[in-house]
């Protein structure tokens, strides 16, 4: 079953899209998945990890295991 996702329009310069496209290919991901991974990492580094739906606490950081 697919997870619910919030859809929104993102406008970025073609040069930046090309960077994400190459980066995603290097990691065997879609561009969308790569952007999501970068955003999740940035949120964690800023001390604002994403919360699981219905969870009362933040998702554990992979590095803390």
């Amino acid at each position: 079953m697919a997870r619910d996702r919030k859809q929104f329009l993102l406008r970025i310069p073609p040069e930046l899209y090309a960077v994400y496209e190459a980066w995603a290919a290097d990691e065997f991901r879609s561009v969308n998945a790569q952007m999501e991974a970068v955003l999740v990492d940035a949120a964690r580094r800023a001390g604002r990890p994403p919360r699981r739906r219905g969870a009362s606490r933040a998702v554990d950081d992979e590095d803390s295991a």
Side-chain angles (χ1 to χ4, degrees):
M1 176 183 240
R3 298 187 311 189
D4 292 333
R5 300 279 187 183
K6 174 70 176 168
Q7 296 180 6
F8 68 98
L9 180 62
L10 175 64
R11 293 183 178 97
I12 61 173
E15 300 83 8
L16 182 56
Y17 186 87
V19 168
Y20 274 90
E21 194 170 36
W23 191 0
D26 290 345
E27 298 192 12
F28 303 104
R29 293 180 173 153
S30 67
V31 173
N32 189 74
Q34 185 65 30
M35 288 183 172
E36 183 177 356
V38 169
L39 290 169
V40 167
D41 183 57
R44 285 186 176 143
R45 288 173 186 253
R48 298 174 175 264
R51 297 180 184 265
R52 291 184 186 165
R53 280 182 78 184
S56 60
R57 62 183 182 86
V59 176
D60 293 334
D61 190 2
E62 296 170 5
D63 295 328
S64 65

